[in-house]
Amino acid sequence: MVTPHADYPDLTGRRVLICRPEPEAGRLARAFESAGAEVRVLPLIDREPLPETPENRTTVLNLDQFTHVIAVSPYAARRLLEEIDTWWPQIPMGIRWYAVGAGTAAVLAGHGLSVRRPASGWTSEALLELPSLARPNGEQVLIARGEDGRELIRQTLESRGARVTVLPLYRRFCPDYSQEEVNLALGQFAPEVIVALSGETLNNLIALCAKSGHNLYDRLLIVPAERVAQTAREAGFERPCVPGSLADNDIVATVAAQLYGRNGGAANKT
């Protein structure tokens, strides 16, 4: 049995299922294990880079023409930096860099970039409240994201007069698990807590429960935003909860507060 680290709440013996992709899942699992929890990782979303296209290459080569560059996730930021490193010996000056969330900001900042992100919140909606994106009339904006992403940022900025280019850098997919693997994670392990930090991850969890016959709707479900919590409630989940932030420590603290009856995060009520 792992002795909980002094800096973490005591989750000894509590069972947590993490459905994030790697490497984020492994990092979060270590945080929960430091609190004494038993953890299983079952990624319900994975990502792979898209092949380079002439259009994408031209977009990256024209990077210096963009006033604003937005990365929507840590993986999007990593993929964008890889493409930039391929074609630019030095990142062009004068670009305003944006991140949806602290994790994405950390990836860009680790590359020496000055990053703008919401002071509070980690959603597209929060990003769009930044003053520097309020009136981008005529300015060019680049959005680095997956092949199929939310259209809110693009649509909103275009409605404000920006000229928006979407740079699709990867595709998301649901891994294929055997029935035995599913039964071990959902049935035998019997998680008390499930972490599903995207709408697509939640949808894949809902489909997996329906296909496998496992009923997890009474478990504590950690989701990233109220819109995802609403989807969870509509699907039948009784205890969706939005943490105070998506930092690993805050997710662990929110789970502890919810399990032990203290107010941590936003426990969403029907």
Side-chain angles (χ1 to χ4, degrees), residues 69-171:
V69 175
I70 301 170
V72 303
S73 69
Y75 189 72
R78 289 193 292 269
R79 286 287 299 116
L80 175 61
L81 292 172
E82 289 170 1
E83 293 297 317
I84 292 172
D85 283 345
T86 298
W87 298 105
W88 286 88
Q90 184 173 344
I91 295 178
M93 303 292 291
I95 297 173
R96 297 176 180 178
W97 298 87
Y98 298 83
V100 180
T104 307
V107 174
L108 295 174
H111 218 70
L113 300 172
S114 177
V115 187
R116 302 177 186 214
R117 66 180 181 92
S120 62
W122 51 90
T123 63
S124 298
E125 289 84 351
L127 181 82
L128 289 166
E129 293 178 2
L130 289 173
S132 55
L133 292 175
R135 291 180 294 276
N137 190 37
E139 296 174 344
Q140 291 205 61
V141 179
L142 179 65
I143 302 175
R145 69 177 206 191
E147 186 176 41
D148 300 306
R150 287 185 76 197
E151 295 292 339
L152 179 67
I153 296 176
R154 179 184 65 79
Q155 291 173 348
T156 302
L157 292 181
E158 285 181 342
S159 74
R160 296 175 182 176
R163 292 179 290 162
V164 180
T165 300
V166 172
L167 181 62
L169 293 169
Y170 57 95
R171 77 174 187 94

Side-chain angles (χ1 to χ4, degrees), residues 5 8 26 30 40 55 110 116 134 141 148 160 172 187 239:
H5 191 280
Y8 286 90
R30 289 189 291 274
R40 295 290 185 277
E55 293 79 10
R116 302 177 186 214
V141 179
D148 300 306
R160 296 175 182 176
R172 293 180 293 271
R239 302 170 64 195

Side-chain angles (χ1 to χ4, degrees), residues 8-270:
Y8 286 90
D10 187 356
L11 289 174
T12 301
R14 310 312 289 259
R15 299 180 305 280
V16 180
L17 178 67
I18 299 174
C19 299
R20 303 186 78 179
E22 295 289 4
E24 293 87 354
R27 189 188 66 226
L28 181 58
R30 289 189 291 274
F32 272 109
E33 288 167 349
S34 294
E38 298 178 23
V39 183
R40 295 290 185 277
V41 171
L42 186 76
L44 292 182
I45 193 169
D46 205 348
R47 304 156 301 203
E48 64 180 8
L50 289 171
E52 184 183 73
T53 65
E55 293 79 10
N56 281 9
R57 182 168 64 250
T58 298
T59 296
V60 175
L61 288 171
N62 290 333
L63 184 66
D64 57 341
Q65 298 180 18
F66 292 93
T67 304
H68 312 273
V69 175
I70 301 170
V72 303
S73 69
Y75 189 72
R78 289 193 292 269
R79 286 287 299 116
L80 175 61
L81 292 172
E82 289 170 1
E83 293 297 317
I84 292 172
D85 283 345
T86 298
W87 298 105
W88 286 88
Q90 184 173 344
I91 295 178
M93 303 292 291
I95 297 173
R96 297 176 180 178
W97 298 87
Y98 298 83
V100 180
T104 307
V107 174
L108 295 174
H111 218 70
L113 300 172
S114 177
V115 187
R116 302 177 186 214
R117 66 180 181 92
S120 62
W122 51 90
T123 63
S124 298
E125 289 84 351
L127 181 82
L128 289 166
E129 293 178 2
L130 289 173
S132 55
L133 292 175
R135 291 180 294 276
N137 190 37
E139 296 174 344
Q140 291 205 61
V141 179
L142 179 65
I143 302 175
R145 69 177 206 191
E147 186 176 41
D148 300 306
R150 287 185 76 197
E151 295 292 339
L152 179 67
I153 296 176
R154 179 184 65 79
Q155 291 173 348
T156 302
L157 292 181
E158 285 181 342
S159 74
R160 296 175 182 176
R163 292 179 290 162
V164 180
T165 300
V166 172
L167 181 62
L169 293 169
Y170 57 95
R171 77 174 187 94
R172 293 180 293 271
F173 62 95
C174 184
D176 186 23
Y177 294 107
S178 68
Q179 188 63 46
E180 180 181 6
E181 290 173 311
V182 172
N183 288 338
L184 284 173
L186 303 187
Q188 183 174 315
F189 181 58
E192 299 172 82
V193 181
I194 304 171
V195 180
L197 294 183
S198 75
E200 192 170 351
T201 301
L202 173 63
N203 289 335
N204 291 341
L205 174 64
I206 292 168
L208 187 63
C209 288
K211 180 180 178 181
S212 65
H214 290 284
N215 185 343
L216 303 175
Y217 293 98
D218 60 344
R219 314 303 162 86
L220 176 62
L221 177 69
I222 304 300
V223 295
E226 171 56 29
R227 65 179 178 84
V228 183
Q230 181 59 31
T231 299
R233 287 194 293 269
E234 292 170 354
F237 283 93
E238 301 170 10
R239 302 170 64 195
C241 177
V242 180
S245 87
L246 298 188
D248 293 344
N249 291 359
D250 286 339
I251 293 172
V252 173
T254 296
V255 167
Q258 291 295 318
L259 290 179
Y260 297 125
R262 298 185 298 275
N263 183 23
N268 295 286
K269 300 178 182 179
T270 57

